[in-house]
Amino acid sequence: MNDPGIGPVIVDEHELQTRIRELGKEITADYADGPPLLVGILKGAFMFMADLARAIDLPVEFDFMAVSSYGSATRTSGVVRIVKDLDLDLTDRHVLLVEDIVDSGLTLAYLRKNLKARHPASLEVCALLVKEGLQKTDPDLKYVGFRIPPDFVIGYGLDVDERYRNLPYVARYAGPPPG
Ligand code: 5GP
């Protein structure tokens, strides 16, 4: 795609798919005794969730949750609103939360607290991208795809004003500040 908003590639398609296959193998081994319920956070994690699920050789189940955070378009405030809640009951389930990117970690801290209160048997996090050095609290991530520099990125599910989600790679955003 030829678009001046697409900056240098941070993680290319091959690196993404190779790492996701590795994560899938790890998850398959770790959950051999009890397949996880994958909980994807919309919209950003949809692409990662689809590829990750196909790399897990277990009868996983799926649910999705949509959240929106108040604050500017490129920075979260930590105040999170649930836009779409889960359909399934988490009681006694092995829940694996699938996140696109952890920046400040505030969204994840909120989600973890919210989901813990629903009494899952276990709760772990799989984040595709983690920005280096920005987390205010220890995000305690069991599975991490890539640690990346703290730039604003697009692609592979991540957007600016709903664009760029379908790029098969992750790139730095090089366009005007989103409005
Ligand atoms: P946090 O609460 O960790 O600061 O931010 C997490 C959420 O902010 C992510 O789930 C994602 O929706 C959004 N976000 C954080 N960094 C980026 C980024 O570099 N690009 C895009 N498109 N969204 C981001």
Side-chain angles (χ1 to χ4, degrees):
M1 211 188 301
N2 190 12
D3 183 313
I6 304 172
V9 173
I10 305 289
V11 189
D12 72 27
E13 185 172 1
H14 181 72
E15 291 172 308
L16 278 173
Q17 296 304 330
T18 303
R19 181 73 186 120
I20 291 168
R21 275 197 298 275
E22 284 171 8
L23 289 172
K25 282 205 178 104
E26 265 183 64
I27 292 167
T28 302
D30 291 351
Y31 287 89
D33 295 336
L37 168 64
L38 302 180
V39 169
I41 306 305
L42 298 173
K43 297 175 192 172
F46 82 99
M47 194 82 78
F48 176 41
M49 177 102 151
D51 284 339
L52 181 69
R54 279 176 286 188
I56 300 173
D57 190 17
L58 293 171
V60 297
E61 292 178 31
F62 297 81
D63 207 347
F64 293 92
M65 197 168 171
V67 299
S68 82
S69 58
Y70 298 99
S72 78
T74 55
R75 268 278 169 275
T76 42
S77 62
V79 183
V80 178
R81 186 166 58 96
I82 295 178
V83 178
K84 181 220 170 291
D85 205 347
L86 299 172
D87 295 327
L88 303 178
D89 182 1
L90 300 190
T91 311
D92 298 332
R93 302 299 306 267
H94 290 293
V95 174
L96 181 57
L97 187 60
V98 180
E99 256 285 33
D100 50 2
I101 185 163
V102 178
D103 185 357
S104 67
L106 293 170
T107 303
L108 191 57
Y110 171 86
L111 286 171
R112 194 190 285 278
K113 200 167 150 200
N114 184 289
L115 298 184
K116 265 259 152 134
R118 304 182 195 200
H119 308 294
S122 66
L123 175 63
E124 299 292 353
V125 178
C126 179
L128 179 65
L129 305 168
V130 176
K131 289 197 195 172
E132 295 281 9
L134 290 185
Q135 293 78 47
K136 294 182 176 104
T137 53
D138 178 7
D140 184 22
L141 305 167
K142 178 137 190 204
Y143 308 99
V144 172
F146 300 89
R147 297 191 184 269
I148 60 167
D151 302 312
F152 196 80
V153 293
I154 52 173
Y156 200 68
L158 294 166
D159 75 318
V160 172
D161 296 337
E162 299 304 327
R163 296 181 57 210
Y164 307 114
R165 292 193 197 275
N166 63 325
L167 297 178
Y169 51 83
V170 175
R172 196 159 81 207
Y173 178 58

